[in-house]
């Protein structure tokens, strides 16, 4: 018994000595970790930049020097490396389709609008990820995006947001007019640049029949019509002045209604009748029925037409093109009043949401948070100053303490056409713009922002629009509207057309739209 106790005592002492030795041999004099607890070790921080691939729709396939400098600055701020995939601008939609089908996705990809089929397919197939979880620190995106932009990006009509807005200002566009032509035909524009519906028609007629370019030849027209990119149907010359401002709250059968679809309203019929009258009088450019946006603009630049619908800030874009043919040409800008003498108008479908396209993040993104942080930093004050003013040497020089534009600055695509700030009209007036031009266009620009009446629907397309009966009747609708404007059908044909629309899904369409708009307003 004694030997057993002595043996146990000897064993315990050996263990104690072993542990004591281990403690005394610990370098640095720190206490040993408790038995059974691993010794803590420091994890090295990985500062390797995250690589982000961006597929966007830009005019230039290669980055020039100022854009490269700008990208390097963004990379440094966000600890990323950026790779740009820039397909040919004319084939961008086709590349989107191929990208979606390939299974190989960039981190960030640009879509033109929420109705784009590639976008809808990508949401449906889980290729794009909602960005909600990454917006907590995106203070700039929250501050400089319209609320309707975020609503428009809720592709499934729930709270999941499938993109980051590329914002443009929501505005009511008026018309560019050849000021030298006005002088030649004896028309003066009021100081407030507002004309009545009848005065607008008079301008178009005199630009067509009174030889406004004074070349002794009948080779001019008041207006080049344009067909809708989706329906290929001529768009009425005037919309806002006839009360066409999209979906608005009413006191009728439905709480929300678009005058186009209101059987009790006359706004759309009046707009169609006005356009049809001018078309039959011959003030439309003969190519109007096949003009897209580009052709419509080119006809104006070439001096074939004297009135062009457009954004009030584009004076320094249009005038130099026109002066290539007529060096002494001059432009002014007009708004057309409604029958009550008020200027108001709706935006284009995408512009009413504030979206000038948007950026989506794919499921293969290496870091969705980094992608959102990158786009958020674009709108920060420091970076935005560079977006607006550029770099010394590339964009401007400093003379006597004043910034002046360099001769023939390189066009920048990445810096200027990736992100925009909501409400920021200054973006469209460069610091290099001369005072006389700035003073000329600023009142036009401000009026376009103050007189806009945004539609209540942020680009929403009801599910009914995809049903066969509705889609088949839409073709009848488009053909009939085209014939009415071109004078091939009487204006009263529209009543029959609208009745047929309601029988072929229109009732469901209006109901779905009302449900959607009502839900948006409840959330707000």
């Amino acid at each position: 018994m004694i030997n057993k106790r002595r043996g146990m005592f000897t064993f315990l002492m050996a263990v104690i000595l072993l542990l004591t030795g281990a403690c005394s041999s610990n370098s640095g004099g720190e206490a040993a970790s408790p038995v059974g607890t691993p010794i803590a070790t420091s994890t090295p921080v990985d500062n390797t930049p995250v690589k982000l691939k961006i597929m966007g729709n830009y005019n230039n396939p290669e980055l020039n020097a100022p854009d490269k400098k700008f990208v390097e600055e963004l990379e440094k701020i966000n600890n990323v490396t950026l790779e740009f995939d820039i397909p040919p601008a004319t084939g961008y939609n086709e590349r989107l389709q191929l990208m979606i089908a390939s299974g190989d996705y960039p981190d960030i990809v640009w879509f033109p609008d929420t109705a784009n089929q590639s976008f809808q397919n990508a949401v449906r197939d889980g290729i794009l990820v909602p960005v909600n979880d990454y917006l907590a620190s995106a203070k700039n995106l929250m501050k400089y995006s319209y609320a309707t932009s975020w609503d428009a990006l809720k592709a499934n009509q729930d709270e999941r947001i499938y993109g980051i807005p590329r914002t443009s200002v929501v505005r009511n566009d008026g018309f560019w007019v050849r000021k030298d032509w006005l002088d030649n035909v004896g028309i003066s524009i009021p100081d407030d640049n507002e004309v009545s519906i009848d005065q607008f028609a008079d301008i178009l007629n005199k630009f067509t029949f009174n030889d406004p370019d004074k070349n002794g030849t009948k080779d001019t027209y008041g207006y080049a019509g344009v067909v809708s990119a989706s329906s290929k149907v001529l768009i009425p010359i005037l919309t806002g002045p006839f009360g066409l401002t999209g979906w608005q709250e009413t006191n009728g059968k439905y709480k929300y209604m678009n005058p186009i679809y209101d059987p009790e309203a006359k706004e759309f019929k009046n707009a169609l009748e006005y356009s049809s009258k001018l078309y039959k009088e011959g003030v439309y450019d003969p190519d109007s029925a096949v003009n897209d946006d580009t052709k419509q603009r080119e006809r104006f630049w070439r001096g074939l037409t004297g009135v062009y619908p457009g954004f009030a800030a584009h004076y320094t874009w249009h005038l130099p093109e026109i002066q290539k043919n007529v060096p002494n040409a001059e432009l002014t800008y007009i708004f057309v009043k409604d029958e009550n003498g008020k200027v108001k108008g709706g935006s284009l479908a995408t512009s009413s949401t504030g979206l000038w396209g948007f950026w989506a993040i794919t499921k293969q993104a290496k870091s969705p948070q980094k992608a959102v942080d990158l786009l958020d930093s674009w709108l920060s004050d420091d970076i935005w100053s560079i977006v607006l003013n550029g770099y010394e040497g590339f964009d401007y020089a400093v003379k006597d303490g004043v910034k002046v534009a360099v001769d023939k600055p390189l066009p920048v695509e990445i810096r200027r056409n990736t992100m925009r700030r909501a409400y920021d009209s200054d973006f469209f007036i460069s610091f290099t713009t001369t005072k006389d031009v700035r003073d000329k266009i600023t009142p036009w620009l401000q009026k376009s922002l103050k007189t806009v009446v945004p539609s209540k629907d942020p680009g929403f397309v009801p599910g009914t629009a995809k049903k066969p009966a509705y889609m088949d009747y839409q073709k009848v609708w488009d053909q009939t509207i085209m014939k009415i404007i071109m004078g091939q059908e009487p204006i009263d044909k529209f009543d029959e057309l609208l009745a047929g629309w309601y029988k072929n899904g229109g009732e469901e369409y209006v109901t779905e739209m009302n449900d959607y708009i009502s839900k948006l307003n409840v959330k707000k």
Side-chain angles (χ1 to χ4, degrees), residues 357-431:
F358 58 94
W359 299 98
I361 299 173
T362 74
K363 64 181 182 180
Q364 291 181 0
K366 293 171 244 350
S367 174
Q369 186 65 64
K370 280 287 189 183
V372 172
D373 291 347
L374 169 71
L375 297 175
D376 182 71
S377 71
W378 221 293
L379 302 181
S380 66
D381 289 342
D382 289 344
I383 293 298
W384 193 247
S385 177
I386 299 172
V387 172
L388 294 181
N389 300 322
Y391 296 103
E392 185 175 0
F394 286 120
D395 301 278
Y396 65 86
V398 178
K399 296 182 179 180
D400 299 324
V402 177
K403 293 179 180 179
V404 295
V406 300
D407 186 37
K408 297 181 180 179
L410 293 172
V412 285
E413 284 281 317
I414 302 300
R415 192 179 84 210
R416 296 279 294 180
N417 291 332
T418 299
M419 295 295 287
R420 300 272 179 92
R421 279 181 169 185
Y423 315 104
D424 191 352
S425 59
D426 287 343
F427 176 87
F428 303 98
I429 304 177
S430 167
F431 73 94

Side-chain angles (χ1 to χ4, degrees), residues 1 13 19 46 98 114 138 157 173 178 186 248 252 267 296 299 304 330 405 407 410 438 445 448 456 506:
M1 189 71 174
M13 288 299 295
L19 292 174
D46 184 3
L98 291 173
T114 55
Q157 287 75 64
D173 286 344
R178 285 287 295 270
Q248 303 296 337
E267 289 91 338
Q296 182 191 37
R299 307 290 278 183
L304 298 175
E330 185 51 275
D407 186 37
L410 293 172
R438 182 184 293 269
L445 183 56
S448 74
K456 299 290 185 183

Side-chain angles (χ1 to χ4, degrees), residues 40-46:
T41 58
S42 61
T43 302
V45 177
D46 184 3

